[in-house]
Amino acid sequence: MSTAPRQSQQQRHRRLRLRRVFDLFDCDGDGVITQAELSGALGRLGLALGAQAGALDSVVAAYIAPGMPGLRFADFEALHDELDGGEGEGPEEEDEEREMREAFAVFDENGDGYISAAELQAVLGRMGMPEAGSMARVQDMIAAHDRDSDGRVDFQEFKAMMADGNGV
């Protein structure tokens, strides 16, 4: 079996995941992430940079097209590739696995290897998502991807959810 279709599928999944992140950061839905939106999103995720903010601002500014108020998706994608060390650095499968583990860790706040309804609700709340307002809705989100019915989402279930294109 050729690896080209598999790589293409992996690239599509990677791009879809990146698009979801872009859409979450683009608070006003105008297709552009301003530096204020980026800083706010990072802060809501508990990733406030403090003294490093100036360094990030200068890196981000280098990717903003002249005359634009912020990053368009293509700019955001290029910035992500640069911060990630470029796409050509190492096997794509390893990069995808690492990115998936990093995304999982954002939701698995206590590091126990599972995403509970309370953890999901807390992260959704920080992201300003309306689903966070209802524990019943959050529990439904967990149940939809909880294949072993233990009331939590483990890493394998999270990976399957992301591969299906059904993010949290």
Side-chain angles (χ1 to χ4, degrees):
M1 182 174 139
S2 170
T3 60
R6 183 174 183 179
Q7 287 177 344
S8 177
Q9 182 180 13
Q10 288 174 341
Q11 289 170 341
R12 281 194 307 273
H13 284 138
R14 179 194 159 280
R15 194 156 201 247
L16 178 62
R17 285 192 311 273
L18 195 56
R19 184 65 199 207
R20 287 184 185 144
V21 171
F22 179 88
D23 291 343
L24 286 171
F25 284 17
D26 180 17
C27 297
D28 60 8
D30 66 354
V32 175
I33 299 173
T34 64
Q35 288 187 326
E37 287 173 321
L38 181 60
S39 295
L42 293 174
R44 286 189 301 277
L45 290 171
L47 303 172
L49 299 174
Q52 298 171 329
L56 179 65
D57 286 347
S58 63
V59 170
V60 170
Y63 285 87
I64 297 174
M68 292 298 299
L71 298 167
R72 297 165 299 181
F73 179 69
D75 307 325
F76 183 73
E77 190 171 29
L79 173 62
H80 175 268
D81 290 345
E82 176 69 24
L83 294 175
D84 197 34
E87 287 187 72
E89 305 275 328
E92 197 169 310
E93 237 174 77
E94 289 176 20
D95 289 345
E96 184 173 330
E97 179 79 8
R98 181 182 43 74
E99 286 179 7
M100 195 72 71
R101 287 201 178 278
E102 289 172 2
F104 182 80
V106 168
F107 292 94
D108 179 19
E109 295 188 311
N110 66 5
D112 68 353
Y114 299 95
I115 301 170
S116 68
E119 288 171 316
L120 179 57
Q121 185 178 39
V123 174
L124 293 175
R126 282 196 303 274
M127 294 169 67
M129 304 293 288
E131 293 88 345
S134 166
M135 180 53 89
R137 175 70 182 119
V138 172
Q139 289 170 332
D140 287 346
M141 293 170 73
I142 292 285
H145 304 289
D146 179 17
R147 293 181 175 176
D148 60 6
S149 301
D150 66 353
R152 323 174 278 190
V153 172
D154 64 30
F155 181 67
Q156 294 305 319
E157 293 165 334
F158 181 80
K159 276 178 51 173
M161 171 190 69
M162 296 305 282
D164 292 343
N166 299 317
V168 250

